[in-house]
Amino acid sequence: MKKFIAVLLITLSISGFSQNKGKTLLNEVSAKVKGYDNISLDFKYVLENTSENVKQETKGDVIIQGEKYKLNILGITRLFDGKTLYSISPEDEEVTISSENDDEEDAITPSKMLSFYEDGYLYAMDIEQNINGRKIQYVKLTPIDSDSEIKSILLGIDVNTKHIYNLIQIGKNNTKTTLTVNSFKTNEPLSKTLFTFDASKYQDYYINKLD
């Protein structure tokens, strides 16, 4: 019995140490990100579900400044000015106007992409990998909310730059989503109207306003 208790205490100690190290690393990443005026990312996005024989790969880019962002992916531009989200589809000649739904806690939007991990997760240090000469330390995030549609997230951190290298999300439906950052630029000169929707450019588009 004493041996069992000793092993249990050691296990809990290691778990707590891993939790603290993971949280410390993510705090360093958060502090680094919040020090930038804006961030520009080019990324690769892969969605996989082997049981459903689904695999979708695409590339995209996003510019983030505070809560505002401009995201290009799958031929659609998503423009968020801090209050209103404009989804612009040239192929359909349609603009969908809505408010970004922050009630969906599982949704990792561009404005949350670099800070979503700050609340609602348990942390544990995971594997460390050398990827193209870069030292990438993974932190495993497990949602505290048992009703979350997310099973777990692996967040790959470049140990030297404290930038996020990639994000691997596993859903409870076994869908695997991987987002890999190909380029990470900061404090770029931005147009003052970058996040402003100009209706005059879309006079021939169908405007779909959602409540």
Side-chain angles (χ1 to χ4, degrees):
M1 184 64 178
K2 288 183 179 179
K3 185 176 180 181
F4 170 76
I5 293 174
V7 171
L8 178 61
L9 288 174
I10 291 171
T11 302
L12 290 174
S13 176
I14 292 172
S15 176
F17 180 69
S18 178
Q19 166 90 356
N20 290 336
K21 284 190 70 176
K23 180 65 172 175
T24 298
L25 179 58
L26 291 180
N27 283 343
E28 292 176 359
V29 173
S30 180
K32 192 78 177 284
V33 165
K34 289 176 180 177
Y36 299 127
D37 179 62
N38 61 70
I39 296 172
S40 302
L41 305 176
D42 290 334
F43 60 86
K44 179 181 178 182
Y45 177 90
V46 181
L47 179 79
E48 297 177 88
N49 189 317
T50 52
S51 61
E52 299 292 334
N53 196 29
V54 172
K55 184 171 183 179
Q56 181 184 42
E57 294 186 25
T58 189
K59 291 182 179 180
D61 60 83
V62 61
I63 300 172
I64 306 168
Q65 186 175 51
E67 291 297 310
K68 301 176 183 180
Y69 64 80
K70 183 177 183 180
L71 168 68
N72 295 303
I73 190 169
L74 295 171
I76 295 175
T77 297
R78 291 167 63 87
L79 183 67
F80 185 62
D81 62 11
K83 293 182 179 180
T84 305
L85 175 64
Y86 302 88
S87 297
I88 305 164
S89 174
E91 182 178 350
D92 299 324
E93 294 191 342
E94 180 177 351
V95 177
T96 300
I97 303 175
S98 63
S99 59
E100 191 178 56
N101 189 358
D102 288 331
D103 293 334
E104 297 179 9
E105 294 184 3
D106 286 345
I108 301 176
T109 61
S111 55
K112 294 178 185 175
M113 190 169 67
L114 302 174
S115 62
F116 75 93
Y117 51 80
E118 293 176 350
D119 297 298
Y121 294 92
L122 297 175
Y123 312 91
M125 296 294 278
D126 208 271
I127 62 171
E128 181 184 290
Q129 291 184 330
N130 187 305
I131 302 177
N132 298 324
R134 299 170 66 185
K135 187 177 178 182
I136 306 298
Q137 172 66 59
Y138 284 89
V139 179
K140 185 176 182 180
L141 285 69
T142 304
I144 295 173
D145 183 2
S146 59
D147 292 329
S148 173
E149 293 300 315
I150 298 172
K151 185 186 295 183
S152 64
I153 295 174
L154 279 174
L155 205 56
I157 309 298
D158 186 313
V159 174
N160 293 321
T161 64
K162 298 298 188 295
H163 291 165
I164 294 175
Y165 167 71
N166 69 348
L167 178 154
I168 304 169
Q169 177 178 299
I170 307 297
K172 287 185 176 177
N173 61 354
N174 292 321
T175 297
K176 178 181 178 182
T177 304
T178 304
L179 190 150
T180 303
V181 177
N182 294 322
S183 73
F184 192 112
K185 298 178 182 178
T186 61
N187 299 336
E188 296 279 283
L190 303 180
S191 165
K192 292 182 179 180
T193 60
L194 179 65
F195 305 107
T196 302
F197 177 71
D198 185 353
S200 66
K201 294 181 179 179
Y202 308 99
Q203 293 181 4
D204 296 331
Y205 280 43
Y206 172 70
I207 306 299
N208 181 20
K209 291 187 177 181
L210 304 179
D211 294 333

